[in-house]
Amino acid sequence: MPHRPPWSDRRRRTLLVLSLGIVLGGLGGVGLPAQYGVGAGILAALCAFLLIAAFIVFLAIPGPGTAGVLARSSTVAGSTFVVAVLLLFSTSADLRLLWSLVAVAAAGWTAYAVRETRRSDVGG
């Protein structure tokens, strides 16, 4: 089993803050009046989603430079592009501009990731 470097303080802090957001948002969802409790519950759910996503990313990319590794990941970029295009095709007219911009950005990200991947394959 390869040795994994220990997680940085930033990663631990990120997971701790998201966990704290889940707890506080959940308590707020239960204890606050309806108009505020719903918002607190939604924030708790968002923190839970982000905690799971961050944990997966931190396990998949063990060392420093997580953002750079993700930016050069043509698999993640291509998947994002496919999802954005599917959302563009399935959405109503009032959201088409938004998903068009997301699809264009994802296409740019995919092109960048593929170019960087090929550059490192040729140069390395």
Side-chain angles (χ1 to χ4, degrees):
M1 179 132 199
H3 179 269
R4 291 181 164 263
W7 284 7
S8 67
D9 287 337
R10 182 184 302 169
R11 287 183 177 201
R12 281 192 221 105
R13 220 178 14 245
T14 300
L15 296 178
L16 180 67
V17 167
L18 289 172
S19 300
L20 188 65
I22 293 169
V23 171
L24 293 178
L27 290 174
V30 172
L32 291 174
Q35 67 265 24
Y36 302 115
V38 171
I42 291 171
L43 286 176
L46 177 64
C47 285
F49 172 74
L50 292 175
L51 177 72
I52 292 168
F55 192 75
I56 290 170
V57 167
F58 293 164
L59 285 178
I61 305 170
T66 304
V69 171
L70 284 175
R72 292 184 301 273
S73 173
S74 58
T75 307
V76 176
S79 300
T80 304
F81 176 63
V82 168
V83 169
V85 169
L86 290 174
L87 285 168
L88 172 64
F89 289 154
S90 67
T91 191
S92 61
D94 55 340
L95 290 176
R96 281 211 184 100
L97 177 63
L98 170 69
W99 290 115
S100 297
L101 294 175
V102 172
V104 167
W109 177 21
T110 304
Y112 170 79
V114 168
R115 186 187 68 164
E116 288 299 311
T117 302
R118 289 189 178 173
R119 178 183 290 177
S120 66
D121 288 343
V122 171

